[in-house]
Amino acid sequence: MSQPAPPPLTRLVPEHVRRFTAYVPSPPDEELKRLYRIDQLHRLNNNENPLGPPPAAVAALAGMAPAQHALYPSGDGFFLRRRLAELHGVEPAQVLIGNGANEVIAFVIKAFCQPGDAIVTADRTFAVYEWVAEFSGIEARLVPLRDHEFDDAAMLAAARADDRSKILFLCNPNNPTGTWWDGARLARFLDAVAGRQVVVVDEAYAEFVDDPAFPDAVALMRRHPNLVVFRTFSKMWGLAGLRIGYMIGAPEMTDIVRRTAVVYSVGGAAQIAALAAAGDQAHRAATNALMDEARRHVAAEMRGLGLPVLANAGNFLMVRLPMSDTIAHRRLLAQGVMVRAMTGFRYPNHLRLSLSHPAAMEAFCRAMHGLVKR
Ligand SMILES: *Cc1c(COP(=O)(O)O)cnc(C)c1O
């Protein structure tokens, strides 16, 4: 006897999920090398640390007995939170870890927003705030950057348009422009918000800034319990593959966000490596010296080719191309150099390059020369 055809699965899917297109990650290196018939690939698309994790983290990982992987880790990063609290001058209860800062973004949105609410951020910034909002039925209000910077006045206006906006996301320094607000500007912004919304400051690239004018977010938190700060072990600390990030908030803030945090989402190896890596200033100095050298070299080379460069804070820079970034991306890949095509970030005809070792920077400059001068 034949069964009637089942009704389509899509009828179970909320409209905001149906509308959303899934992000397609880049293929693994081996696959790309096969596709593009290349022997070597410089992966300069994800802002990873070319020096890897600090030596103490490498040793901590090597020292793990395989049997440890049979055990669940600390569900809330007990020892790591204690260490991070000490480094930032807060209480352990103010720190919440996640499976990358990406997961912490989802925790905060889930804690404060329901379908019909809104978040406010920039149009050209890290896209995960916008994506998590949209596939959750939450409107993402995207305020245009002004001179490549987050526009305080326009963000406040977007937040005040009605009473639906719950969270303002500031990426500081901004990925991909590298621009940042100083402490005074962030303090003025928080005064103007006056606790009406949550303010998230994503400091994924904070460790790449040495300027004393960079905000002391923890100090601001004492006066502004609506402030949340994100950090990650993926960029400066070279642990992107282990997926670990964290947030710091006032005790009442962290109590709220913890309700939506999935326990055991951060593995034991990630916790052990992060504990060893946290606050390693020698590693930070070595990384920043390498970044400064690469930034100077690439910026000069690109300007020599007549290409405008946006090189501010962070371990990356942007180049404006005289052609489509999608085509440039493919041609650079064929030369063994993988960068980020920026149309998806609303920067058509731009690419973002992760700063790295001299050999990788040389390969990029050579490939760009071939691209522009033919
Ligand atoms: C890379 C990045 C993150 C995410 O980091 P994970 O901890 O790897 O999830 C968050 N914010 C910005 C701005 C980033 O560039």
Side-chain angles (χ1 to χ4, degrees):
M1 215 176 79
S2 74
Q3 296 263 336
L9 204 50
T10 50
R11 88 194 193 290
L12 300 174
V13 181
E15 175 60 25
H16 55 262
V17 176
R18 224 176 296 171
R19 267 202 314 265
F20 195 80
T21 317
Y23 177 77
V24 183
S26 60
D29 286 17
E30 290 317 310
E31 191 60 13
L32 284 170
K33 285 184 191 167
R34 197 180 57 77
L35 286 170
Y36 285 86
R37 297 191 181 87
I38 48 177
D39 299 324
Q40 211 198 352
L41 177 67
H42 297 286
R43 194 176 263 272
L44 305 170
N45 64 328
N46 274 340
N47 301 343
E48 294 145 346
N49 190 334
L51 297 182
V58 174
L61 287 168
M64 278 189 88
Q68 280 181 266
H69 299 300
L71 307 176
Y72 277 96
S74 163
D76 62 355
F78 185 87
F79 291 112
L80 178 59
R81 284 192 302 113
R82 239 207 249 181
R83 173 77 180 127
L84 293 171
E86 175 185 275
L87 284 171
H88 289 284
V90 298
E91 291 301 316
Q94 294 180 253
V95 181
L96 202 61
I97 62 169
N99 193 266
N102 279 344
E103 192 186 38
V104 187
I105 294 171
F107 292 165
V108 176
I109 290 180
K110 280 187 281 191
F112 288 98
C113 301
Q114 54 188 339
D117 285 345
I119 65 150
V120 177
T121 187
D123 60 342
R124 289 177 291 179
T125 185
F126 191 59
V128 176
Y129 326 125
E130 175 188 343
W131 292 340
V132 173
E134 289 191 334
F135 66 56
S136 308
I138 294 150
E139 180 196 351
R141 292 190 184 152
L142 305 181
V143 174
L145 293 182
R146 190 186 176 93
D147 300 329
H148 303 296
E149 294 179 8
F150 270 68
D151 182 343
D152 356 28
M155 283 186 71
L156 289 169
R160 285 172 185 165
D162 54 41
D163 58 6
R164 295 195 297 119
S165 48
K166 297 284 188 68
I167 311 175
L168 301 153
F169 281 92
L170 167 69
C171 188
N172 206 48
N174 187 35
N175 174 6
T177 58
T179 53
W180 49 276
W181 289 2
D182 65 15
R185 189 165 176 186
L186 180 59
R188 279 197 304 278
F189 186 74
L190 288 163
D191 284 337
V193 173
R196 277 185 289 262
Q197 287 90 21
V198 172
V199 175
V200 172
V201 181
D202 181 349
E203 295 189 342
Y205 299 98
E207 296 92 349
F208 297 94
V209 185
D210 278 322
D211 194 323
F214 190 77
D216 179 352
V218 168
L220 291 166
M221 216 169 266
R222 296 196 185 99
R223 280 191 48 215
H224 299 282
N226 59 324
L227 174 61
V228 177
V229 176
F230 290 168
R231 293 286 183 106
T232 178
F233 282 94
S234 299
K235 307 289 158 61
M236 176 56 82
W237 306 114
L239 295 171
L242 288 180
R243 313 301 307 123
I244 178 162
Y246 61 103
M247 63 156 264
I248 306 173
E252 59 264 53
M253 170 62 77
T254 316
D255 281 348
I256 293 166
V257 179
R258 191 177 293 111
R259 297 170 201 193
T260 65
V262 179
V263 286
Y264 298 114
S265 75
V266 182
Q271 294 185 32
I272 281 169
L275 185 61
D280 184 333
Q281 294 308 316
H283 192 71
R284 182 177 167 200
T287 302
N288 278 333
L290 184 67
M291 299 296 105
D292 288 346
E293 174 56 31
R295 187 182 299 108
R296 254 196 306 276
H297 176 70
V298 174
E301 289 278 325
M302 293 305 107
R303 285 175 185 136
L305 287 173
L307 304 178
V309 174
L310 199 59
N312 295 304
N315 57 349
F316 52 82
L317 54 72
M318 272 208 296
V319 182
R320 196 162 101 211
L321 303 163
M323 63 179 72
S324 136
D325 51 312
T326 321
I327 292 172
H329 179 259
R330 265 204 308 272
R331 290 210 198 141
L332 290 173
L333 249 181
Q335 304 296 310
V337 178
M338 184 173 190
V339 297
R340 181 59 67 105
M342 295 304 281
T343 292
F345 272 72
R346 303 188 176 92
Y347 269 107
N349 303 338
H350 284 70
L351 62 80
R352 190 193 64 199
L353 170 78
S354 303
L355 301 171
S356 185
H357 292 298
M361 298 297 91
E362 234 357 276
F364 169 73
C365 292
R366 249 194 333 269
M368 285 294 287
H369 204 271
L371 203 67
V372 171
K373 288 283 153 89
R374 66 190 204 170

